[in-house]
């Protein structure tokens, strides 16, 4: 027996996930909020956290947090499930519903975790390239959905890494395919203001994901949630690890929602900065309209640009996939960071 011969076939050719990060002074590579939580909110979180009985397991269903989300979104609490980041909820979804040889459709390019987790769970993944301008090729997608049994379609809205929201009519068309679950990942919702939440009652196959990792500055504490029909949520509970969200994260997320207005101010700053940066680079590069906290920029000299960013200690996201060789994704940072980036890009790469 060798370890290699024992390996799960689904992960035989998989490599550990590489977020493509490199070390530097300015972190603009992971689409986090570049502003940390305000000090007054951190203090409130720590004060409450002091009361945690560290010897006790956390609330397995984050009841308080789900209640507050439910009030804020005007959605029944039973339609909400909290996870250790939305990543975990994607995993649970696939674990709950994928059988061997099931198929999953994703656009290309998109958030690569959909493909990785689908394959880990034994599904085969069909990638449908986005059209020029990065909108969905809805005709092709619908063709595939009609001629194959497809269990899931994953759509990031706005899309990562391209930054744009796909057209609403294209997504609505896909939602009409009732035998396929359509996951709309609204990780960057607070920057786009666009949502499919109001379609939830109409479409039983719709599943929405949100996260505290982006606009809400809570990437370190891994908290996300899913909104879906109660029957979907109840099935996922079968695979959910018993205590998936720790007590500290539950307290932090609750406080974020309590002080949402204050935190959301950073989104306004980031959106303004994004527009400013895009305008400054207009004409120099192709940059699709972004509804998120990052820009996706087409470049012709990626190696030279990478060297320049490394030299200045600026971390941005380049891609190992050759199809994205000529693109860089840059998270919008604080004003000073954005100026550093813009000054470099203005030299022409
Ligand atoms: N969805 C999308 C589209 C993302 O870009 C990311 C983060 N890169 C996630 C989900 C992951 O979010 P979380 O931190 O909640 O796991």
């Amino acid at each position: 027996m060798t370890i290699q011969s024992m390996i799960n076939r689904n992960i035989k050719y998989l490599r550990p996930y590489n977020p493509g990060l490199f070390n530097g002074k300015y972190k603009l590579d992971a689409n986090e909020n570049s502003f940390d939580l305000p000090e007054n909110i951190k203090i409130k979180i720590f004060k409450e956290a002091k009361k945690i009985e560290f010897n006790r397991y956390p609330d397995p269903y984050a009841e308080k947090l789900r209640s507050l989300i439910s009030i804020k979104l005007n959605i029944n609490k039973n339609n909400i499930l909290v996870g250790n980041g939305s990543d975990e909820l994607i995993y649970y979804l696939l674990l709950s519903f994928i059988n061997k040889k099931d198929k999953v459709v994703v656009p290309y390019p998109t958030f690569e975790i959909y493909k990785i987790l689908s394959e880990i769970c034994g599904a085969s993944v069909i990638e449908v390239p986005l059209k020029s301008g990065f909108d969905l090729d809805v005709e092709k997608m619908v063709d595939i959905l009609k001629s194959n049994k497809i269990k899931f379609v994953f759509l990031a809205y706005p899309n990562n890494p391209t930054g744009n929201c796909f057209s609403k009519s294209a997504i609505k068309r896909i939602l009409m395919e009732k035998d396929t679950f359509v996951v709309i990942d609204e990780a960057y919702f607070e920057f786009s203001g666009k949502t499919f939440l109001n379609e939830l009652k109409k479409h039983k196959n719709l599943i929405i994901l949100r996260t505290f990792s982006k606009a809400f500055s809570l990437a370190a504490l891994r908290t996300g949630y899913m909104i879906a029909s109660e029957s979907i949520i109840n099935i996922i509970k079968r695979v959910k690890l018993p205590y998936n969200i720790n007590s500290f994260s539950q307290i932090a997320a609750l406080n974020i929602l309590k002080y949402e207005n204050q935190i959301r101010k950073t989104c306004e700053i980031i959106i303004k900065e994004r527009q400013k940066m895009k305008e400054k680079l207009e004409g120099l590069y192709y940059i699709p309209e972004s509804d998120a906290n990052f820009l996706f920029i087409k470049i012709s000299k990626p190696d030279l640009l990478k060297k320049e960013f490394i030299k200045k200690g600026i971390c941005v996201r380049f891609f190992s996939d050759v199809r994205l060789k000529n693109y860089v994704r840059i998270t919008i940072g604080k004003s000073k960071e954005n100026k550093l980036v813009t000054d470099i890009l203005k030299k022409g790469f």
Side-chain angles (χ1 to χ4, degrees):
M1 184 268 273
T2 63
I3 300 293
Q4 287 304 317
S5 69
M6 303 290 275
I7 199 166
N8 175 341
R9 223 175 296 128
N10 298 338
I11 67 159
K12 192 156 185 187
Y13 300 104
L14 197 69
R15 301 211 178 290
Y17 180 67
N18 175 9
L21 310 177
F22 54 90
N23 282 329
K25 193 167 167 200
Y26 306 104
K27 256 196 76 46
L28 304 174
D29 52 355
N31 297 343
E32 300 140 329
N33 189 330
S34 295
F35 296 89
D36 196 356
L37 275 188
E39 197 59 21
N40 64 320
I41 299 173
K42 273 195 179 173
I43 289 168
K44 288 209 181 342
I45 293 169
F46 281 117
K47 214 169 143 191
E48 276 183 46
K50 206 158 180 283
K51 295 185 202 138
I52 296 173
E53 291 180 284
F54 279 69
N55 56 328
R56 304 290 176 204
Y57 283 110
D59 174 351
Y61 287 109
E63 297 292 344
K64 282 189 188 157
L65 180 55
R66 278 172 48 240
S67 296
L68 191 52
I69 295 170
S70 132
I71 292 165
K72 289 246 173 196
L73 302 184
N74 192 22
I75 276 176
N76 191 305
K77 199 177 159 187
N78 298 333
N79 296 116
I80 302 165
L81 189 69
V82 181
N84 191 347
S86 45
D87 282 1
E88 186 189 46
L89 296 167
I90 298 169
Y91 216 163
Y92 287 166
L93 252 179
L94 293 159
L95 270 178
S96 305
F97 291 103
I98 290 292
N99 289 309
K100 208 168 149 192
K101 297 207 171 119
D102 275 351
K103 296 191 184 80
V104 171
V105 166
V106 293
Y108 184 85
T110 193
F111 185 40
E112 56 188 327
I113 288 290
Y114 308 141
K115 181 168 191 260
I116 296 170
L117 296 183
S118 298
E119 288 177 348
I120 291 174
C121 292
S124 59
V125 175
I126 304 173
E127 290 183 328
V128 181
L130 293 173
K131 295 193 293 194
S132 70
F134 300 120
D135 202 1
L136 289 175
D137 189 340
V138 67
E139 291 80 18
K140 187 146 187 215
M141 273 204 167
V142 170
D143 260 4
I144 293 173
L145 296 188
K146 283 195 179 302
S147 51
N148 298 265
K149 236 175 122 40
I150 303 290
K151 199 149 258 177
F152 282 98
V153 174
F154 282 92
L155 302 171
Y157 185 77
N159 190 38
N160 174 13
T162 57
N164 58 311
C165 277
F166 303 133
S167 68
K168 220 161 191 164
S169 58
I171 298 183
K172 281 190 173 172
R173 177 65 197 83
I174 290 165
L175 275 169
M176 306 283 276
E177 299 302 313
K178 291 189 174 52
D179 295 330
T180 301
F181 288 123
V182 181
V183 181
I184 302 192
D185 180 350
E186 298 183 352
Y188 302 93
F189 160 72
E190 293 78 9
F191 299 103
S192 74
K194 296 178 190 169
T195 178
F196 272 81
L197 218 52
N198 45 8
E199 299 286 327
L200 215 58
K201 284 215 171 82
K202 221 186 303 168
H203 299 281
K204 293 279 167 269
N205 56 336
L206 170 60
I207 295 156
I208 292 178
L209 296 172
R210 295 261 180 102
T211 182
F212 286 85
S213 298
K214 308 297 179 184
F216 288 148
S217 299
L218 206 67
L221 298 191
R222 312 297 299 123
T223 313
Y225 57 97
M226 169 188 293
I227 311 153
S229 75
E230 203 172 332
S231 35
I232 294 177
I233 300 279
N234 284 339
I235 289 167
I236 293 173
K237 282 181 186 168
R238 301 183 195 183
V239 304
K240 186 184 97 62
L241 292 175
Y243 304 109
N244 58 328
I245 334 118
N246 70 72
S247 303
F248 193 81
S249 299
Q250 294 189 32
I251 287 175
L254 264 168
N255 275 284
I256 281 171
L257 289 183
K258 275 189 205 154
Y259 300 99
E260 187 177 350
N261 290 345
Q262 187 188 345
I263 296 168
R264 283 240 200 172
K265 291 207 172 96
T266 60
C267 298
E268 290 163 26
I269 298 170
I270 289 164
I271 290 169
K272 276 194 194 129
E273 284 289 320
R274 181 189 74 206
Q275 288 317 105
K276 210 161 83 184
M277 190 156 151
K278 189 166 186 292
E279 276 160 26
K280 283 193 180 151
L281 300 172
E282 214 83 78
L284 274 172
Y285 301 95
Y286 169 63
I287 310 174
E289 210 48 63
S290 173
D291 267 314
N293 63 337
F294 54 89
L295 290 177
F296 189 58
I297 303 175
K298 186 156 194 220
I299 48 177
S300 42
K301 299 172 204 157
D303 296 334
L304 286 179
L305 181 61
K306 192 169 185 173
K307 269 194 198 142
E308 189 70 16
F309 275 131
I310 289 174
K311 203 166 79 190
K312 296 270 160 49
I314 302 170
C315 310
V316 296
R317 184 72 151 95
F318 290 94
F319 303 91
S320 49
D321 190 325
V322 286
R323 293 172 287 182
L324 297 181
K325 190 168 72 78
N326 285 318
Y327 289 94
V328 60
R329 189 196 69 196
I330 305 178
T331 307
I332 304 301
K334 294 178 179 156
S335 179
K336 180 186 152 196
E337 296 169 315
N338 301 332
K339 183 166 179 333
L340 283 172
V341 167
T342 317
D343 286 348
I344 290 172
L345 285 169
K346 270 187 181 163
K347 293 182 196 165
F349 288 90

mmCIF file of all heavy atoms in Angstrom, residues 30-31 84-88 90 111 114 156 158 160 185 187-188 210-214 222-224, ligand 1:
data_model
loop_
_atom_site.group_PDB
_atom_site.id
_atom_site.type_symbol
_atom_site.label_atom_id
_atom_site.label_comp_id
_atom_site.label_asym_id
_atom_site.label_seq_id
_atom_site.Cartn_x
_atom_site.Cartn_y
_atom_site.Cartn_z
ATOM 1 N N ALA A 30 -6.655 40.504 -2.115
ATOM 2 C CA ALA A 30 -7.655 39.512 -1.686
ATOM 3 C C ALA A 30 -9.064 40.092 -1.562
ATOM 4 O O ALA A 30 -9.943 39.458 -0.973
ATOM 5 C CB ALA A 30 -7.220 38.857 -0.378
ATOM 6 N N ASN A 31 -9.263 41.277 -2.102
ATOM 7 C CA ASN A 31 -10.600 41.907 -2.098
ATOM 8 C C ASN A 31 -11.205 42.086 -0.707
ATOM 9 O O ASN A 31 -12.421 42.067 -0.537
ATOM 10 C CB ASN A 31 -11.587 41.122 -2.976
ATOM 11 C CG ASN A 31 -11.165 41.124 -4.418
ATOM 12 O OD1 ASN A 31 -10.341 41.946 -4.818
ATOM 13 N ND2 ASN A 31 -11.729 40.234 -5.208
ATOM 14 N N ASN A 84 -18.902 29.287 8.425
ATOM 15 C CA ASN A 84 -17.549 29.768 8.717
ATOM 16 C C ASN A 84 -16.963 30.340 7.410
ATOM 17 O O ASN A 84 -16.100 29.748 6.783
ATOM 18 C CB ASN A 84 -16.739 28.577 9.235
ATOM 19 C CG ASN A 84 -15.420 28.994 9.820
ATOM 20 O OD1 ASN A 84 -14.978 30.125 9.654
ATOM 21 N ND2 ASN A 84 -14.771 28.098 10.504
ATOM 22 N N GLY A 85 -17.494 31.467 7.025
ATOM 23 C CA GLY A 85 -17.219 32.020 5.707
ATOM 24 C C GLY A 85 -18.216 31.438 4.729
ATOM 25 O O GLY A 85 -18.778 30.353 4.979
ATOM 26 N N SER A 86 -18.459 32.139 3.618
ATOM 27 C CA SER A 86 -19.412 31.569 2.655
ATOM 28 C C SER A 86 -18.792 30.365 1.945
ATOM 29 O O SER A 86 -19.499 29.502 1.444
ATOM 30 C CB SER A 86 -19.922 32.614 1.675
ATOM 31 O OG SER A 86 -18.887 33.404 1.194
ATOM 32 N N ASP A 87 -17.464 30.295 1.924
ATOM 33 C CA ASP A 87 -16.778 29.110 1.380
ATOM 34 C C ASP A 87 -17.346 27.820 1.962
ATOM 35 O O ASP A 87 -17.603 26.858 1.261
ATOM 36 C CB ASP A 87 -15.296 29.106 1.818
ATOM 37 C CG ASP A 87 -14.450 30.057 1.022
ATOM 38 O OD1 ASP A 87 -15.003 30.736 0.148
ATOM 39 O OD2 ASP A 87 -13.242 30.121 1.292
ATOM 40 N N GLU A 88 -17.500 27.845 3.285
ATOM 41 C CA GLU A 88 -17.963 26.639 3.961
ATOM 42 C C GLU A 88 -19.371 26.273 3.503
ATOM 43 O O GLU A 88 -19.704 25.091 3.336
ATOM 44 C CB GLU A 88 -17.955 26.841 5.487
ATOM 45 C CG GLU A 88 -18.284 25.564 6.221
ATOM 46 C CD GLU A 88 -18.500 25.755 7.716
ATOM 47 O OE1 GLU A 88 -19.212 26.706 8.114
ATOM 48 O OE2 GLU A 88 -17.967 24.965 8.486
ATOM 49 N N ILE A 90 -20.680 26.879 0.593
ATOM 50 C CA ILE A 90 -20.598 26.318 -0.770
ATOM 51 C C ILE A 90 -20.270 24.822 -0.661
ATOM 52 O O ILE A 90 -20.876 23.984 -1.321
ATOM 53 C CB ILE A 90 -19.522 27.060 -1.602
ATOM 54 C CG1 ILE A 90 -19.893 28.542 -1.759
ATOM 55 C CG2 ILE A 90 -19.329 26.393 -2.963
ATOM 56 C CD1 ILE A 90 -18.774 29.415 -2.332
ATOM 57 N N PHE A 111 -14.987 32.944 -9.616
ATOM 58 C CA PHE A 111 -14.370 32.551 -8.350
ATOM 59 C C PHE A 111 -14.049 31.050 -8.406
ATOM 60 O O PHE A 111 -14.953 30.228 -8.555
ATOM 61 C CB PHE A 111 -15.359 32.871 -7.233
ATOM 62 C CG PHE A 111 -14.862 32.645 -5.840
ATOM 63 C CD1 PHE A 111 -13.567 32.984 -5.474
ATOM 64 C CD2 PHE A 111 -15.712 32.113 -4.871
ATOM 65 C CE1 PHE A 111 -13.122 32.789 -4.176
ATOM 66 C CE2 PHE A 111 -15.286 31.923 -3.571
ATOM 67 C CZ PHE A 111 -13.981 32.262 -3.230
ATOM 68 N N TYR A 114 -15.663 27.547 -6.652
ATOM 69 C CA TYR A 114 -16.847 26.770 -7.094
ATOM 70 C C TYR A 114 -16.396 25.479 -7.771
ATOM 71 O O TYR A 114 -16.928 24.408 -7.526
ATOM 72 C CB TYR A 114 -17.717 27.564 -8.085
ATOM 73 C CG TYR A 114 -18.124 28.943 -7.652
ATOM 74 C CD1 TYR A 114 -18.155 30.002 -8.559
ATOM 75 C CD2 TYR A 114 -18.499 29.208 -6.336
ATOM 76 C CE1 TYR A 114 -18.538 31.273 -8.180
ATOM 77 C CE2 TYR A 114 -18.883 30.480 -5.943
ATOM 78 C CZ TYR A 114 -18.896 31.515 -6.870
ATOM 79 O OH TYR A 114 -19.267 32.776 -6.496
ATOM 80 N N ALA A 156 -21.345 34.443 -9.468
ATOM 81 C CA ALA A 156 -20.935 35.480 -8.509
ATOM 82 C C ALA A 156 -21.481 36.803 -9.040
ATOM 83 O O ALA A 156 -21.307 37.136 -10.212
ATOM 84 C CB ALA A 156 -19.420 35.534 -8.398
ATOM 85 N N PRO A 158 -21.666 40.769 -7.845
ATOM 86 C CA PRO A 158 -20.761 40.899 -8.987
ATOM 87 C C PRO A 158 -19.789 39.716 -9.103
ATOM 88 O O PRO A 158 -19.506 39.040 -8.107
ATOM 89 C CB PRO A 158 -19.967 42.167 -8.677
ATOM 90 C CG PRO A 158 -20.622 42.827 -7.534
ATOM 91 C CD PRO A 158 -21.435 41.811 -6.834
ATOM 92 N N ASN A 160 -16.328 37.772 -9.539
ATOM 93 C CA ASN A 160 -14.903 37.844 -9.207
ATOM 94 C C ASN A 160 -14.199 36.907 -10.185
ATOM 95 O O ASN A 160 -14.599 35.757 -10.282
ATOM 96 C CB ASN A 160 -14.717 37.359 -7.760
ATOM 97 C CG ASN A 160 -13.263 37.259 -7.359
ATOM 98 O OD1 ASN A 160 -12.381 37.760 -8.049
ATOM 99 N ND2 ASN A 160 -13.014 36.613 -6.225
ATOM 100 N N ASP A 185 -24.009 34.329 -5.709
ATOM 101 C CA ASP A 185 -23.069 34.655 -4.637
ATOM 102 C C ASP A 185 -22.900 36.172 -4.593
ATOM 103 O O ASP A 185 -22.242 36.768 -5.437
ATOM 104 C CB ASP A 185 -21.749 33.936 -4.956
ATOM 105 C CG ASP A 185 -20.682 34.193 -3.914
ATOM 106 O OD1 ASP A 185 -20.871 35.070 -3.048
ATOM 107 O OD2 ASP A 185 -19.640 33.515 -3.976
ATOM 108 N N ALA A 187 -21.292 38.131 -2.560
ATOM 109 C CA ALA A 187 -20.224 38.468 -1.605
ATOM 110 C C ALA A 187 -19.922 39.970 -1.595
ATOM 111 O O ALA A 187 -19.521 40.522 -0.572
ATOM 112 C CB ALA A 187 -18.962 37.677 -1.943
ATOM 113 N N TYR A 188 -20.116 40.626 -2.739
ATOM 114 C CA TYR A 188 -19.774 42.061 -2.847
ATOM 115 C C TYR A 188 -21.027 42.929 -2.903
ATOM 116 O O TYR A 188 -20.994 44.043 -3.413
ATOM 117 C CB TYR A 188 -18.886 42.285 -4.079
ATOM 118 C CG TYR A 188 -17.629 41.456 -4.030
ATOM 119 C CD1 TYR A 188 -17.567 40.199 -4.624
ATOM 120 C CD2 TYR A 188 -16.507 41.907 -3.323
ATOM 121 C CE1 TYR A 188 -16.421 39.411 -4.535
ATOM 122 C CE2 TYR A 188 -15.361 41.126 -3.235
ATOM 123 C CZ TYR A 188 -15.331 39.883 -3.845
ATOM 124 O OH TYR A 188 -14.194 39.114 -3.750
ATOM 125 N N ARG A 210 -24.101 35.449 1.078
ATOM 126 C CA ARG A 210 -23.544 36.750 1.484
ATOM 127 C C ARG A 210 -22.388 36.502 2.457
ATOM 128 O O ARG A 210 -22.298 35.428 3.057
ATOM 129 C CB ARG A 210 -24.615 37.599 2.201
ATOM 130 C CG ARG A 210 -25.799 38.002 1.326
ATOM 131 C CD ARG A 210 -25.634 39.421 0.826
ATOM 132 N NE ARG A 210 -26.742 39.843 -0.008
ATOM 133 C CZ ARG A 210 -27.743 40.637 0.398
ATOM 134 N NH1 ARG A 210 -27.788 41.065 1.651
ATOM 135 N NH2 ARG A 210 -28.688 41.013 -0.441
ATOM 136 N N THR A 211 -21.563 37.515 2.656
ATOM 137 C CA THR A 211 -20.431 37.344 3.572
ATOM 138 C C THR A 211 -20.141 38.615 4.369
ATOM 139 O O THR A 211 -20.481 39.718 3.927
ATOM 140 C CB THR A 211 -19.167 36.924 2.785
ATOM 141 O OG1 THR A 211 -18.102 36.711 3.718
ATOM 142 C CG2 THR A 211 -18.721 37.985 1.792
ATOM 143 N N PHE A 212 -19.515 38.412 5.525
ATOM 144 C CA PHE A 212 -19.027 39.554 6.318
ATOM 145 C C PHE A 212 -17.564 39.862 5.976
ATOM 146 O O PHE A 212 -16.969 40.745 6.567
ATOM 147 C CB PHE A 212 -19.144 39.241 7.816
ATOM 148 C CG PHE A 212 -20.559 39.290 8.342
ATOM 149 C CD1 PHE A 212 -21.392 38.193 8.251
ATOM 150 C CD2 PHE A 212 -21.060 40.448 8.923
ATOM 151 C CE1 PHE A 212 -22.698 38.234 8.716
ATOM 152 C CE2 PHE A 212 -22.367 40.505 9.402
ATOM 153 C CZ PHE A 212 -23.191 39.394 9.291
ATOM 154 N N SER A 213 -16.983 39.086 5.049
ATOM 155 C CA SER A 213 -15.541 39.193 4.786
ATOM 156 C C SER A 213 -15.143 40.406 3.947
ATOM 157 O O SER A 213 -13.973 40.765 3.915
ATOM 158 C CB SER A 213 -15.047 37.965 4.021
ATOM 159 O OG SER A 213 -15.224 36.814 4.763
ATOM 160 N N LYS A 214 -16.072 40.978 3.220
ATOM 161 C CA LYS A 214 -15.691 42.026 2.265
ATOM 162 C C LYS A 214 -16.051 43.397 2.842
ATOM 163 O O LYS A 214 -15.301 43.944 3.635
ATOM 164 C CB LYS A 214 -16.355 41.764 0.913
ATOM 165 C CG LYS A 214 -16.129 40.358 0.379
ATOM 166 C CD LYS A 214 -14.668 40.092 0.108
ATOM 167 C CE LYS A 214 -14.434 38.669 -0.402
ATOM 168 N NZ LYS A 214 -13.044 38.348 -0.577
ATOM 169 N N ARG A 222 -14.109 34.926 9.566
ATOM 170 C CA ARG A 222 -14.791 33.897 8.783
ATOM 171 C C ARG A 222 -16.275 33.754 9.100
ATOM 172 O O ARG A 222 -16.695 32.816 9.805
ATOM 173 C CB ARG A 222 -14.088 32.536 8.984
ATOM 174 C CG ARG A 222 -12.589 32.514 8.855
ATOM 175 C CD ARG A 222 -12.123 32.903 7.472
ATOM 176 N NE ARG A 222 -12.603 32.026 6.435
ATOM 177 C CZ ARG A 222 -13.313 32.471 5.388
ATOM 178 N NH1 ARG A 222 -13.612 33.751 5.260
ATOM 179 N NH2 ARG A 222 -13.707 31.649 4.461
ATOM 180 N N THR A 223 -17.056 34.661 8.604
ATOM 181 C CA THR A 223 -18.506 34.551 8.805
ATOM 182 C C THR A 223 -19.248 34.885 7.512
ATOM 183 O O THR A 223 -19.032 35.956 6.929
ATOM 184 C CB THR A 223 -18.985 35.508 9.929
ATOM 185 O OG1 THR A 223 -18.095 35.361 11.043
ATOM 186 C CG2 THR A 223 -20.397 35.186 10.377
ATOM 187 N N GLY A 224 -20.077 33.983 7.082
ATOM 188 C CA GLY A 224 -20.903 34.221 5.901
ATOM 189 C C GLY A 224 -22.263 33.597 6.124
ATOM 190 O O GLY A 224 -22.480 32.897 7.120
HETATM 191 N N1 LIG B 1 -17.527 34.500 -3.032
HETATM 192 C C1 LIG B 1 -16.784 35.317 -3.784
HETATM 193 C C2 LIG B 1 -17.304 35.747 -5.106
HETATM 194 C C3 LIG B 1 -15.532 35.746 -3.335
HETATM 195 O O1 LIG B 1 -14.795 36.542 -4.107
HETATM 196 C C4 LIG B 1 -15.077 35.325 -2.073
HETATM 197 C C5 LIG B 1 -13.751 35.755 -1.505
HETATM 198 N N2 LIG B 1 -12.720 35.843 -2.336
HETATM 199 C C6 LIG B 1 -15.880 34.473 -1.333
HETATM 200 C C7 LIG B 1 -17.104 34.090 -1.830
HETATM 201 C C8 LIG B 1 -15.423 33.926 -0.018
HETATM 202 O O2 LIG B 1 -15.995 34.570 1.010
HETATM 203 P P1 LIG B 1 -15.824 34.079 2.514
HETATM 204 O O3 LIG B 1 -14.685 34.848 3.082
HETATM 205 O O4 LIG B 1 -17.135 34.409 3.144
HETATM 206 O O5 LIG B 1 -15.563 32.611 2.492
#
